[in-house]
């Protein structure tokens, strides 16, 4: 087996904490000392180890995959890492090379983040350099685009996943918010400062607030700008805007010492909901709403629970994965606070329900309705002072796999699974708040990789059940907020989460002390040889690694103290010895063991010995018949390895041995020869690879004695020669010491060359045949070890000294390479040869490195590396191969049957490798995916989504998730008699488009928990008996404005209700009143205006506003005056007030236009989605699409998603074609045709012909002539002409 350069890592450095990241490619990267390790999480094996950092790696970050992949922009493994020296390296992982390397100063990099905001560039990297510098880098060239310096020390940063212009920085005592981040220029401001504060007056109801003991509940102080405390939801901690810490003194508020930001472990954005950030502390997690600048939820740690260490906020569902200090991982799922009603008919709208909870017969279980329930927790680990949890990384594409990185180098892969929920009887009437299960989106009772949707309880008895794969978190549970509402019947199938340990890998144990490689490869052992290396550690553990694969092969805990030496006696057994550090007396108890790797049997030698001088070395003869046990300042022992008996113990007056080596030459049953004649002996450099007791060695089955020789030196430098044959040990000649040499420390012998190293760094090379010796000064310190490389005629010599190793060619007597490690943390502990040109070194950092002969490389391209298990990773294929695999999985209409196997349809120069590589990936593809793809119930769109998840293509996952949702919605609208003519229902959540099997009597809408029929019930005079709609949950809240209008409106009403319940200041109350007016909740806005205290400066103004709001909706005569006033306010810089007035008179469309004119695009889209009907909202969204497509913004991919939500499928195809996304355009066209949502017009046919023709040419570039012909035929006349041209050229 080939031994490539590689690094096998061990325990982590303290600075490696949190230096881990799980990319969309399903690969895990983490730092180990100066190395970057890449793990294949599917097979749980080391894929690559990258070596070029000089400092300790403190950050790793995979490049985002949210761009369109083509032949020119292929799938690739790009990884950025940063170290304590300030160096940032961008890697090509598969090639094991650096694409770019750059730095800004020599201080440790604090944070890294890839930008993913523009379609034109996906190679921009933001780095946070200490103490307060933010730098934007071009990661491909290493060019610094701009640098921003702040005035406050910065610890970490977080980008808003919903708005690329928003950046949050965590300082030592404040939080900075930037709203003008851009790639074109550095931010102009230093950001808005926020401090964590708490009101200093105690709350009268704090005893009933069960939110943790670390943060005392408080109420605002009474001043003229306060509001009535009886009506305020009491907050204990909130953020206060200010330029200094004394800003809050005017309101009697001071920074909370118990919540100091320097104790904050992590700051991050919620990926599932807009404008929410998390502050993670050891004993609690704060959820902060940036719209109101205060906490809206707290997750306290139980009194006996393990403190938080890290949090991963999931995107697909509102779920938090939390790492605890004891090594356990907990899953917390958000739920709405339960409202229990005695008179449920009183509540009519979500907002009314919220307010009744404060005023009527409803009550909340807690004023904070942002609650995350603990749903499951993995088993805690044994955590000690030296073994701790170092990091948590979660799979970005599925969010159901989590990797736990331990400080000792262990990697644990936990998989989130579901089990059936069994209800229990509990006397407490509110116990269901805790015990309520989660709900599966499907209703199959086989808990494997599939769910069955839609649910049988929907009444669709005639409809075919459709299996849906459980590949991601969204496939496992429904949206939790849809299941906690009053009066909604829950599905039949409740589920619970559980963690299952599905993967484990470990590296080299802490503090390695010695390494030894097994006997080398020869022609005799060619078929059984494995390049194994034994590693001894300070805890008595011996690990055996396979150097060809880098995998741990065996592990033996056989010693009770530090392992001091290992010597192989065959390919499947070795000797090892250990002893504890001797006391001042210099004597200790030695352990000498023989281990058989085939059965794990250990044989203890010298067990009867008590305390004695420690063993200094073992030396096994080349024929594996004898071995010598050397002691410190004590004569050695000669043992028979076959009988495991002592042949001779040297007398007490024997000279103290400083170095010893066996001769590689041997003769059977020969008389003893002097040293000068030994050079003429026959040589066998292969070494014995037979078992210790091989019955085939002699004809009678008895061992045949072979005469073997060894030499040793004493402290005076005299060289002694001994020979051993059978039970005879004879002393030969003595050679006087070399006057130019110091005390000899090591000896090695190969062929006719004997090499000696001394304490002064000199090498003495003896040519035994020519009887010549020469001395060479190495200009190094004391030589600790010398060893020849294996292989006949290979005379390269490795010698180790205090600060490194050198390799010399003894034939030419010149240095080949040198490795110097002056730093103590990375000094060389031991070295050996793994192959004829592969030196292997283990350092003080616990990492074993297999180098090339130049001692420069310790990593290798993946295509030349052997792995223990097959690696499924399309990113490792060539650009054409990965795209061919992707398109074959997505759609293959050119084949009569769908098959995941490439045959002869691809004709390319590299055809054989091309086809074989793709088919190998198909063969090891997960079986559930292979079974599901041919039978996808929703055709091409669903296959594209499954393919995108399997590839880890972030851009395609988002595109096809939104596309599939709205294609089903549009199909349902077109097939529903009740809604066919109502375009505004496009985008509502429907499940099935098989309308022929659905009738009005089968549709039981009120039993489906995700139903909101307000858009239908508002259509007066409409015959709803003919409705055939079947409903499904809406898109996740992470899609924000891409969600359907009704779901978005409901979420905004719930959120403004939450803000209202958390009011603590006058400014917050006015903000709530403004949002209520914008959302049309006028009655509640009037109440808030009337709550203003008479001492407040704005009391009179707010009273007038209350009167205005209360009277306008009942009188339409004043609308023209109000519109005129609103226009005047907007023109004079009072945009917010003018927008409120326009919304007050139902001029929301005009309000949105003004917001867009003044650059408030996000606010205009929010207002349109939350308040306008579908035609008006569509107009606002189309203007937003035009804005997103401008060169300054350049977010055309997002613009395409917006067009999909509007049902503008022709515009989508047109834009995809203009962007040269021919593959995505063709698949989208195929999906739309399968759903029957494309109009049959001349304009559409012309566009489809263009798309199919360009896609055909694209497939031809990949070598697929069969697919090329198929799509040319679909392109009608244009395609026929191209086909004829191609046939003419081929002829």
């Amino acid at each position: 087996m080939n031994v490539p350069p590689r690094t096998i890592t061990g325990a982590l450095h303290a600075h490696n904490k949190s230096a881990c990241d799980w990319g969309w490619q399903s690969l895990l990267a983490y730092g180990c000392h100066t190395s970057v390790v890449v793990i294949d999480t599917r097979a749980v094996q080391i894929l690559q180890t990258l070596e070029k950092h000089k400092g300790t790696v403190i950050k790793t970050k995979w490049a985002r995959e949210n761009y369109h992949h083509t032949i020119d922009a292929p799938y690739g493994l790009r990884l950025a890492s940063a170290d304590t020296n300030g160096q940032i390296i961008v890697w090509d992982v598969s090639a094991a090379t650096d694409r770019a390397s750059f730095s800004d100063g020599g201080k440790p990099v604090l944070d890294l983040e890839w930008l993913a905001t523009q379609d034109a560039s996906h190679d921009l990297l933001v780095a946070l350099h200490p103490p307060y510098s933010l730098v934007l880098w071009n990661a491909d060239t290493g060019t610094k685009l701009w640098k921003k310096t702040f005035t406050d020390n910065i610890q970490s940063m977080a980008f808003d996943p919903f708005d690329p212009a928003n950046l949050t920085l965590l300082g030592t005592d404040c939080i900075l918010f930037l709203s003008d981040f851009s790639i074109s220029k550095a931010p102009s401001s230093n950001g808005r400062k926020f401090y964590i504060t708490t009101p200093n007056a105690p709350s009268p109801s704090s005893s009933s607030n069960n939110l943790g003991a670390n943060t005392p509940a408080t109420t605002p102080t009474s001043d003229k700008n306060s509001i009535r405390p009886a009506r305020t939801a009491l907050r204990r901690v909130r953020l206060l805007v200010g330029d200094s810490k004394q800003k809050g003194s005017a309101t009697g508020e001071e920074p909370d010492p118990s919540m100091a930001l320097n104790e904050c472990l992590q700051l991050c954005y919620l990926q599932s909901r807009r404008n929410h950030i998390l502050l993670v502390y050891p004993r609690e997690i704060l959820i902060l709403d940036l719209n109101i600048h205060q906490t809206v939820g707290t997750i306290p740690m139980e009194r006996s629970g393990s403190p938080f260490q890290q949090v991963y906020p999931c995107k697909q569902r509102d779920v938090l994965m939390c790492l605890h200090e004891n090594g356990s991982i907990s899953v917390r799922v958000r739920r709405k606070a339960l409202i229990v009603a005695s008179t449920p008919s009183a509540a009519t709208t979500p907002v009314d329900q919220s307010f009744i909870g404060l005023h009527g017969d409803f009550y909340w279980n807690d004023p904070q309705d942002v609650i995350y329930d603990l749903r499951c927790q993995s088993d805690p680990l044994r955590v000690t002072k030296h073994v701790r949890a170092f990091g948590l990384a979660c799979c970005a594409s599925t969010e159901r796999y989590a990797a736990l990185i331990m400080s000792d180098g262990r990697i644990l892969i936990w998989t989130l699974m579901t089990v059936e929920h069994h209800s229990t009887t509990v006397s407490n009437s509110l116990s269901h708040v805790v015990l309520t299960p989660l709900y599966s989106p499907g209703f199959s009772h086989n808990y494997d990789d599939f769910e069955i949707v839609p649910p049988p309880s929907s009444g669709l008895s005639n409809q075919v059940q459709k299996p849906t794969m459980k590949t991601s978190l969204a496939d496992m549970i429904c949206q939790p907020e849809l299941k906690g509402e009053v009066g909604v019947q829950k599905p039949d199938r409740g589920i619970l989460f559980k963690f299952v340990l599905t993967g484990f890998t470990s590296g080299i144990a802490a503090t390695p002390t010695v390494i030894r490689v097994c006997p080398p490869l020869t022609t005799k052992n060619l078929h059984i040889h494995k390049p194994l290396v034994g590693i001894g550690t300070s805890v008595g553990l011996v690990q055996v690694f396979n150097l060809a694969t880098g995998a741990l092969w065996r592990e033996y805990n056989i010693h009770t103290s530090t392992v001091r030496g290992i010597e192989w006696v065959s390919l499947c057994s070795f000797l090892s010895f250990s002893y504890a550090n001797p006391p001042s007396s210099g004597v200790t108890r030695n352990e000498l063991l023989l281990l058989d790797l085939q059965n794990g049997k250990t044989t203890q030698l010298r067990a009867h010995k008590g305390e004695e001088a420690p063993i200094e070395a073992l030396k096994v003869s080349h024929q594996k018949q004898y071995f010598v046990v050397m002691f410190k300042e004590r004569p050695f022992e000669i043992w028979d390895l076959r009988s495991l008996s002592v042949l001779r113990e040297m007398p007490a007056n024997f000279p103290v041995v400083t170095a010893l080596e066996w001769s590689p030459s041997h003769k059977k049953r020969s008389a003893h020869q002097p040293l000068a004649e030994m050079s003429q002996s026959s040589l066998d450099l292969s070494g014995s690879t037979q078992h210790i007791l091989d019955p085939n060695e002699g004809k009678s089955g008895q061992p045949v004695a072979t005469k073997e020789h060894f030499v040793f030196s004493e402290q005076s430098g005299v060289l002694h020669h001994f020979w051993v044959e059978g039970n005879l040990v004879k002393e030969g000649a003595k050679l006087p010491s070399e006057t130019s040499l110091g005390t000899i420390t090591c000896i090695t012998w190969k062929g006719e060359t004997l090499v000696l190293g001394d304490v002064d760094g000199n090498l003495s090379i003896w040519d035994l045949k020519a009887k010549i010796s020469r001395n060479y000064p190495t200009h190094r310190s004391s030589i600790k070890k010398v060893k020849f490389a294996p292989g006949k005629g290979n005379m390269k010599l490795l010698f180790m000294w205090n600060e490194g190793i050198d390799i010399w060619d003894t034939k030419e007597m010149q240095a080949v390479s040198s490795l110097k490690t002056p730093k103590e943390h990375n000094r060389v502990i031991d070295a050996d040869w793994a192959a004829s040109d592969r030196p292997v070194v283990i350092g003080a950092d616990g990492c074993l490195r297999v180098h090339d002969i130049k001692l420069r490389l310790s990593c290798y391209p993946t295509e030349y590396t052997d792995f223990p298990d097959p690696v499924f990773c399309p990113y490792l294929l060539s650009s054409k191969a990965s795209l061919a695999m992707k398109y074959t999985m997505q759609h293959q209409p050119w084949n009569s049957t769908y098959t995941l196997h490439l045959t002869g349809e691809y004709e390319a120069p590299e055809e054989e490798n091309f086809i074989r590589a793709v088919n190998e990936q198909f063969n090891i593809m997960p079986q559930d995916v292979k079974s599901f793809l041919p039978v996808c119930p929703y055709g091409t769109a669903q296959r594209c989504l499954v393919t995108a998840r399997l590839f880890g293509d972030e851009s395609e996952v988002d595109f096809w998730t939104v596309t599939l949702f709205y294609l089903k919605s549009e199909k349902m609208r077109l097939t529903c008699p009740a809604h066919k003519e109502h375009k505004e229902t496009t985008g509502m959540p429907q499940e099935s488009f098989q309308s022929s099997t659905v009738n009005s009597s089968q549709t039981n809408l009120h039993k489906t928990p995700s139903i909101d029929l307000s858009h239908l019930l508002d259509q007066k005079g409409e015959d709803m008996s003919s409705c055939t709609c079947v409903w499904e949950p809406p898109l996740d809240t992470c899609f924000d404005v891409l969600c359907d209008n009704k779901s978005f409106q409901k979420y905004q009403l719930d959120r403004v209700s939450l803000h209202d319940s958390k009011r603590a200041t006058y400014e917050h109350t006015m903000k709530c009143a403004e949002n209520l007016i914008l959302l049309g909740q006028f009655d509640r806005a009037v109440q808030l205006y009337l709550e203003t205290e008479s001492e407040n400066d704005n009391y009179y103004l707010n009273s007038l506003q209350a009167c205005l709001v209360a009277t306008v909706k009942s009188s339409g005569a004043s609308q023209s005056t109000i519109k005129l006033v609103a226009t005047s306010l907007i023109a004079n810089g009072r945009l917010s007030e003018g927008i409120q007035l326009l919304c007050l008179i139902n001029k929301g469309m005009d309000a949105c236009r003004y917001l867009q004119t003044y650059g408030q695009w996000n606010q205009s889209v929010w207002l349109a989605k939350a308040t306008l009907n579908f035609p008006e909202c569509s107009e606002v969204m189309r203007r937003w699409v035009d804005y997103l497509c401008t060169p300054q913004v350049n977010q055309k991919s997002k613009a395409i998603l917006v067009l999909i939500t509007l049902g503008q499928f022709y515009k989508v195809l047109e834009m995809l074609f203009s962007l040269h996304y021919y593959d995505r355009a063709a698949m989208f066209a195929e999906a739309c045709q399968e759903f029957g949502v494309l109009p049959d017009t001349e304009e559409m046919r012309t566009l489809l012909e263009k798309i199919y023709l360009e896609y055909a040419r694209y497939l031809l570039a990949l070598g697929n002539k069969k697919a090329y012909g198929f799509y040319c035929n679909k392109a009608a006349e244009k395609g026929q002409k191209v086909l004829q041209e191609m046939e003419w050229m081929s002829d």
Side-chain angles (χ1 to χ4, degrees), residues 407-419:
S407 62
D408 58 358
R410 289 178 295 162
I411 310 294
L412 292 81
I413 307 295
W414 291 97
T415 301
L416 199 58
M417 296 185 176
T418 57
V419 294

mmCIF file of all heavy atoms in Angstrom, residues 407-419:
data_model
loop_
_atom_site.group_PDB
_atom_site.id
_atom_site.type_symbol
_atom_site.label_atom_id
_atom_site.label_comp_id
_atom_site.label_asym_id
_atom_site.label_seq_id
_atom_site.Cartn_x
_atom_site.Cartn_y
_atom_site.Cartn_z
ATOM 1 N N SER A 407 -11.272 18.011 23.563
ATOM 2 C CA SER A 407 -9.900 18.512 23.651
ATOM 3 C C SER A 407 -8.866 17.424 23.440
ATOM 4 O O SER A 407 -7.714 17.718 23.089
ATOM 5 C CB SER A 407 -9.678 19.174 25.016
ATOM 6 O OG SER A 407 -9.858 18.232 26.062
ATOM 7 N N ASP A 408 -9.237 16.162 23.647
ATOM 8 C CA ASP A 408 -8.275 15.074 23.448
ATOM 9 C C ASP A 408 -8.254 14.565 22.013
ATOM 10 O O ASP A 408 -7.616 13.552 21.720
ATOM 11 C CB ASP A 408 -8.559 13.921 24.410
ATOM 12 C CG ASP A 408 -9.968 13.364 24.249
ATOM 13 O OD1 ASP A 408 -10.729 13.906 23.423
ATOM 14 O OD2 ASP A 408 -10.310 12.397 24.952
ATOM 15 N N GLY A 409 -8.958 15.255 21.106
ATOM 16 C CA GLY A 409 -8.930 14.886 19.702
ATOM 17 C C GLY A 409 -10.056 13.973 19.265
ATOM 18 O O GLY A 409 -10.157 13.630 18.088
ATOM 19 N N ARG A 410 -10.928 13.584 20.169
ATOM 20 C CA ARG A 410 -12.058 12.734 19.776
ATOM 21 C C ARG A 410 -13.126 13.563 19.064
ATOM 22 O O ARG A 410 -13.391 14.698 19.437
ATOM 23 C CB ARG A 410 -12.677 12.054 20.992
ATOM 24 C CG ARG A 410 -11.839 10.955 21.612
ATOM 25 C CD ARG A 410 -12.521 10.389 22.838
ATOM 26 N NE ARG A 410 -12.623 11.390 23.899
ATOM 27 C CZ ARG A 410 -13.450 11.294 24.939
ATOM 28 N NH1 ARG A 410 -14.262 10.251 25.046
ATOM 29 N NH2 ARG A 410 -13.473 12.231 25.861
ATOM 30 N N ILE A 411 -13.752 12.981 18.054
ATOM 31 C CA ILE A 411 -14.858 13.598 17.328
ATOM 32 C C ILE A 411 -16.061 12.672 17.458
ATOM 33 O O ILE A 411 -15.988 11.494 17.085
ATOM 34 C CB ILE A 411 -14.526 13.817 15.842
ATOM 35 C CG1 ILE A 411 -13.179 14.531 15.687
ATOM 36 C CG2 ILE A 411 -15.645 14.574 15.154
ATOM 37 C CD1 ILE A 411 -13.172 15.936 16.225
ATOM 38 N N LEU A 412 -17.158 13.195 17.987
ATOM 39 C CA LEU A 412 -18.381 12.420 18.146
ATOM 40 C C LEU A 412 -19.450 13.007 17.226
ATOM 41 O O LEU A 412 -19.714 14.214 17.270
ATOM 42 C CB LEU A 412 -18.886 12.436 19.597
ATOM 43 C CG LEU A 412 -18.049 11.705 20.648
ATOM 44 C CD1 LEU A 412 -16.878 12.561 21.116
ATOM 45 C CD2 LEU A 412 -18.909 11.325 21.844
ATOM 46 N N ILE A 413 -20.059 12.173 16.397
ATOM 47 C CA ILE A 413 -21.128 12.591 15.491
ATOM 48 C C ILE A 413 -22.452 12.124 16.078
ATOM 49 O O ILE A 413 -22.709 10.924 16.201
ATOM 50 C CB ILE A 413 -20.936 12.018 14.075
ATOM 51 C CG1 ILE A 413 -19.545 12.346 13.538
ATOM 52 C CG2 ILE A 413 -22.023 12.539 13.149
ATOM 53 C CD1 ILE A 413 -19.289 13.808 13.325
ATOM 54 N N TRP A 414 -23.285 13.087 16.468
ATOM 55 C CA TRP A 414 -24.608 12.790 17.024
ATOM 56 C C TRP A 414 -25.657 13.043 15.941
ATOM 57 O O TRP A 414 -25.620 14.068 15.254
ATOM 58 C CB TRP A 414 -24.908 13.672 18.232
ATOM 59 C CG TRP A 414 -24.075 13.369 19.438
ATOM 60 C CD1 TRP A 414 -22.933 14.002 19.830
ATOM 61 C CD2 TRP A 414 -24.320 12.363 20.429
ATOM 62 N NE1 TRP A 414 -22.447 13.459 21.001
ATOM 63 C CE2 TRP A 414 -23.281 12.447 21.381
ATOM 64 C CE3 TRP A 414 -25.318 11.397 20.592
ATOM 65 C CZ2 TRP A 414 -23.229 11.605 22.492
ATOM 66 C CZ3 TRP A 414 -25.261 10.560 21.693
ATOM 67 C CH2 TRP A 414 -24.221 10.666 22.639
ATOM 68 N N THR A 415 -26.599 12.119 15.810
ATOM 69 C CA THR A 415 -27.684 12.237 14.835
ATOM 70 C C THR A 415 -29.007 12.406 15.570
ATOM 71 O O THR A 415 -29.311 11.654 16.493
ATOM 72 C CB THR A 415 -27.745 10.995 13.932
ATOM 73 O OG1 THR A 415 -26.494 10.845 13.258
ATOM 74 C CG2 THR A 415 -28.849 11.126 12.906
ATOM 75 N N LEU A 416 -29.766 13.398 15.144
ATOM 76 C CA LEU A 416 -31.069 13.672 15.733
ATOM 77 C C LEU A 416 -32.104 12.789 15.051
ATOM 78 O O LEU A 416 -32.287 12.858 13.828
ATOM 79 C CB LEU A 416 -31.412 15.152 15.559
ATOM 80 C CG LEU A 416 -32.501 15.742 16.459
ATOM 81 C CD1 LEU A 416 -32.147 15.583 17.924
ATOM 82 C CD2 LEU A 416 -32.717 17.199 16.116
ATOM 83 N N MET A 417 -32.790 11.969 15.835
ATOM 84 C CA MET A 417 -33.799 11.059 15.313
ATOM 85 C C MET A 417 -35.104 11.262 16.063
ATOM 86 O O MET A 417 -35.155 11.970 17.070
ATOM 87 C CB MET A 417 -33.323 9.604 15.419
ATOM 88 C CG MET A 417 -32.103 9.296 14.569
ATOM 89 S SD MET A 417 -31.668 7.549 14.608
ATOM 90 C CE MET A 417 -30.303 7.509 13.450
ATOM 91 N N THR A 418 -36.154 10.629 15.561
ATOM 92 C CA THR A 418 -37.470 10.753 16.186
ATOM 93 C C THR A 418 -37.956 9.395 16.653
ATOM 94 O O THR A 418 -37.674 8.361 16.031
ATOM 95 C CB THR A 418 -38.490 11.349 15.205
ATOM 96 O OG1 THR A 418 -38.555 10.531 14.027
ATOM 97 C CG2 THR A 418 -38.110 12.763 14.801
ATOM 98 N N VAL A 419 -38.682 9.400 17.756
ATOM 99 C CA VAL A 419 -39.334 8.201 18.277
ATOM 100 C C VAL A 419 -40.786 8.554 18.558
ATOM 101 O O VAL A 419 -41.147 9.722 18.725
ATOM 102 C CB VAL A 419 -38.645 7.684 19.555
ATOM 103 C CG1 VAL A 419 -37.251 7.198 19.254
ATOM 104 C CG2 VAL A 419 -38.613 8.757 20.632
#
